[in-house]
Amino acid sequence: MKERPILFSAPMVRALLAGQKTQTRRAFSKRMIDTMYNAAHMGEVSYFIDGGEMEENDLSYVADWCPYGKIGDRMWVRETWRGVVEISPPDAIKPEYGVARYIPAQEHCKRIEYAATQECGDDPWRPSIHMPRWACRILLEIVSVRVEKLNDCSVSDALAEGVFTWWREIEQTASDHPAPPAIYRELWESINGAGSWAANPWVWVVEFRRI
């Protein structure tokens, strides 16, 4: 069993905490696409990247390359955070780092606060990418990994992505809402940019449970 970090935005952290998010989709990186082309050249896998459909034996090979882990592995969630200290240790905040990037040592923290569920306050937040493992509060266990095209996201999949948590936060006065896949399309493009849904990339679909 291995542990790997994974980043989530504040709305998705709230969906995780509410038990409404049990899946995440992440697009193939260019490096992954190149790896699959090389594997296809060697006959290890089909040319599914171009063909648009995976062949019967492709997934067992491709799943081994998942950067988020395999079934039984764990992902610890990185989110925007800050470590509240009573007295900063001497010269802990080095000028070249700047206050916003200062990460206190664990033993200096009075408590940990998280932007997803905490009032803003005066202290600067630490970017999620700089969260150390000891500050993590959410641990996920992978229960399945598959590969598909982004646009194949079904109604049940979109619900498992926690779309309604996000939708309620951006449309607080809305009495009605689009179908879950349509909401997920908006969510995806809010993260990945206009046109990213129409591009229909290959994605990792990682299903998990909170532990």
Side-chain angles (χ1 to χ4, degrees), residues 72-85:
D73 285 350
R74 295 177 177 181
M75 303 180 294
W76 58 274
V77 175
R78 278 179 159 162
E79 57 180 301
T80 303
W81 71 292
R82 62 187 171 207
V84 178
V85 296

Side-chain angles (χ1 to χ4, degrees), residues 3 36 73 79 91-92 97 122 143 183 185 195 203:
E3 284 190 1
M36 290 300 102
D73 285 350
E79 57 180 301
D91 65 19
Y97 292 152
D122 297 325
V143 298
I183 299 176
R185 180 176 65 243
V203 294

